[in-house]
Structures are given as structure tokens and as C-alpha cells.
Amino acid sequence: MLHLRIIAPAGWTDAVVDCLENTVGTAHLVVLEGAARVPPGDVVMCDVAREAADELLRELRTLGLEDDGAIAVEDIDLSLSRHADRAEKDAPGEGADAVLWESLTEATHEESTLTATYLAFLSVATMIAACGVVLDNAVLIVGAMAVGPEFGPLAGVCTALVRRSPKLAGRSLVALLAGFAAAMVLTTGFSLMMGGFGLFSDELLGQDRPNTDFIWHPDPFSFVVALLAGIAGMLSLTSAKSGALVGVAISVTTVPAAANAAVALAYGDLRQMWGSSQQLLLNLCGIIVAGTATLLAQKFFWGKQNARMARSETGMR
């Protein structure tokens, strides 16, 4: 269940209440007249089944509440109520399968913005991966994958393509491309510095590395894994099961490939740099293709679900 808190300007409350009452899957409707101060208006609260929330939010936005009022949505961790149980039962589909497009757009907007924190995480992750490839240490590679924040911009690109949002697409691509470029430049400098201390060398980079050799040897499995990771990642975001994102992060070779390319550049190994760059692009493209296809499939599924629900309601009248 989700909790909605709405600030409705004077004169709009009846329309908001009618919208909530006519939505299958709502419960616990509360109206506090004149309770809001900034902006002024009435406070309307209710709980709604997750699977009915997206359609409800779309209808509320058509009223223009985001301009003159406010709409806030929160997850309910625990709800002990027969009314809530009935609302979830009446709502179409399953909550775990529902997509809240407004929430997804907002989340990807925040995660796909080029910030100092994002750059710091990506750069540190790439430097950790650089240590991993030079030492042929799989543990460091996995750790670097988990630290890397690059799935946020990738999800932003997928969401922007499905929702046809050029601004979100541009912001996500800037964060993705500029972020990796900055991280690789910093990692190249880091590699040279480590070489000055005698910790990195071209001999270490060129030796046999059975644990990390795959990073600069892309093959069809690289693209297949990227596709599967893109599907899993988008399902994790849309179903609010963020724990699965860790598994997604450590299944694709984006950060390690960027790190290996940076180290190879520092020591003039163009063959490894080219192979690592191919691995990086292959993984990024695979995730975007699969993530976008997953969102389109979910959009199609819920469109069919809502159409069946509308026909059912029409037949009962």
C-alpha cells in the first residue's frame, strides 16, 4: 500500500475526493478542511494499493494539483486494516508488478544527475577496479562493481526513451559519459602515481591474469549478461526491490572495463585499452537495450490490464 497526502486549494477538494472515491483500490480517506497553510488549502489523505496508484496519480495531475497544491506519496511498511486488504484485493493486478511511472521518473532524475558525489563514487570505484586488474584480484573487482553508481544514469536513459523525455535523456547521458570520462582520466593519473611508487607497472599489466583477463576480451556472453542485467535492474527499480540492484551491479563489466582501459592508457598498452573500451560500450548498450525493452513490456502489460479493468467496470454499470 501507498499513502497519499494531497494539498487541495479551496474549491478543488470535492473534485479530488471524487477522484479518490471512484478509484478502485483506495481506502482510509481523510479530509482536513483548512489544515494546510503553505500552500493554503485542505489536506486530503488516503491509502491506495500500489497497482492502482499510477492511474490515480495521472488523474490527480490532470487537475493541476502540482501547480497550486501538492501531492506526496509514501510507502506503507505495515497496514493492519481489513479496508486496506479489501482495497488491495479489488485493485487490478499485483502490487509487486505495478510500475509507478512518476516515482520512477523522479528516482532516475535524482540518480542520473552529474554531481560531485556521483563523480566521487564512480572515480573511487574505477580506482579500486584498477587495483583489482593490476593485482588480478577478483575480490577487488567485485567490490568496485558494487560501489559504482552507473546504473542510475543507465536507468535514466531507459526511462527517458520510454517516456519520451529529452531533458531526462540528456541529463542521464551527460552523467554517464562525462562521469566515465572523468573517472577514467583520474584513474589514469592514479595509475601513473601508483607506478611512481613502484606499485603499478607495465609488467604487472601485461602478465597472465586468469581472474581478470575477461575484462578486455569481450565476447557474445558479455552482451548476453548485459541484457540480462538490464532486465533485472529495471525490474528491481520498478518493483521497489532495490536489494537486487547489488546483484545487477556485480554482474556487468562496466567499471572494471573503464579501469582496465585507464591503466592500459597510462602504460601505452593500446590493445588492452581497445578491448576494454569495447567491453565497456558493449555492456552499456546491452543494459540500455534490455532496460528499455523491459519498461516497454511493462507499459504494454499494464495498458492491457487497465483496459480490461475499464471494460469490466463498464459492464457492471
Side-chain angles (χ1 to χ4, degrees), residues 59-70:
E59 292 182 12
L60 290 173
R61 291 198 66 183
T62 60
L63 299 176
L65 286 173
E66 68 271 24
D67 296 323
D68 299 305

Side-chain angles (χ1 to χ4, degrees), residues 231-268:
I231 295 172
M234 293 312 303
L235 289 176
S236 176
L237 283 180
T238 56
S239 64
K241 297 185 181 298
S242 58
L245 281 177
V246 177
V248 173
I250 62 177
S251 63
V252 290
T253 320
T254 50
V255 167
N260 201 82
V263 177
L265 176 62
Y267 291 100

Side-chain angles (χ1 to χ4, degrees), residues 11-310:
W12 294 25
T13 304
D14 289 342
V16 171
V17 171
D18 287 343
C19 182
L20 298 178
E21 289 180 334
N22 291 329
T23 299
V24 176
T26 59
H28 311 145
L29 178 60
V30 177
V31 179
L32 304 175
E33 295 183 359
R37 294 292 182 265
V38 182
D42 301 331
V43 175
V44 182
M45 296 181 289
C46 78
D47 297 337
V48 59
R50 181 181 174 87
E51 54 268 40
D54 189 64
E55 184 68 24
L56 176 58
L57 289 173
R58 189 179 300 113
E59 292 182 12
L60 290 173
R61 291 198 66 183
T62 60
L63 299 176
L65 286 173
E66 68 271 24
D67 296 323
D68 299 305
I71 305 172
V73 183
E74 299 174 323
D75 281 305
I76 299 176
D77 294 326
L78 177 63
S79 179
L80 304 177
S81 167
R82 290 183 180 178
H83 295 283
D85 294 340
R86 189 180 305 116
E88 288 190 313
K89 182 178 179 181
D90 293 340
E94 295 293 334
D97 297 331
V99 180
L100 270 68
W101 291 101
E102 297 295 338
S103 176
L104 178 62
T105 302
E106 183 66 23
T108 52
H109 176 277
E110 294 179 1
E111 295 293 330
S112 60
T113 302
L114 187 63
T115 63
T117 301
Y118 169 82
L119 286 175
F121 269 114
L122 188 55
S123 299
V124 169
T126 309
M127 291 177 189
I128 293 173
C131 295
V133 297
V134 171
L135 298 175
D136 195 33
N137 190 315
V139 174
L140 291 177
I141 295 297
V142 171
M145 289 175 171
V147 172
E150 73 278 8
F151 192 80
L154 287 168
V157 173
C158 299
T159 304
L161 291 175
V162 173
R163 303 215 71 185
R164 299 178 182 178
S165 175
K167 288 185 178 180
L168 179 59
R171 182 184 297 108
S172 301
L173 287 173
V174 166
L176 189 66
L177 300 179
F180 267 112
M184 291 172 71
V185 169
L186 291 173
T187 303
T188 300
F190 171 76
S191 301
L192 293 173
M193 183 189 72
M194 294 290 281
F197 288 111
L199 299 175
F200 282 12
S201 67
D202 52 354
E203 289 82 7
L204 287 173
L205 183 66
Q207 68 182 358
D208 291 336
R209 291 182 285 145
N211 293 323
T212 58
D213 203 42
F214 69 94
I215 292 173
W216 60 284
H217 286 113
D219 56 28
F221 280 103
S222 301
F223 191 68
V224 170
V225 172
L227 290 175
L228 296 174
I231 295 172
M234 293 312 303
L235 289 176
S236 176
L237 283 180
T238 56
S239 64
K241 297 185 181 298
S242 58
L245 281 177
V246 177
V248 173
I250 62 177
S251 63
V252 290
T253 320
T254 50
V255 167
N260 201 82
V263 177
L265 176 62
Y267 291 100
D269 191 333
L270 298 182
R271 188 164 64 99
Q272 285 202 40
M273 186 183 72
W274 174 242
S276 301
S277 299
Q278 287 182 304
Q279 181 78 271
L280 176 61
L281 291 174
L282 200 62
N283 277 269
L284 294 178
C285 292
I287 292 173
I288 291 174
V289 168
T292 303
T294 300
L295 288 179
L296 288 172
Q298 290 177 299
K299 186 177 182 179
F300 175 79
F301 170 79
W302 277 102
K304 289 286 188 180
Q305 188 80 19
N306 291 331
R308 284 197 298 268
M309 190 65 183

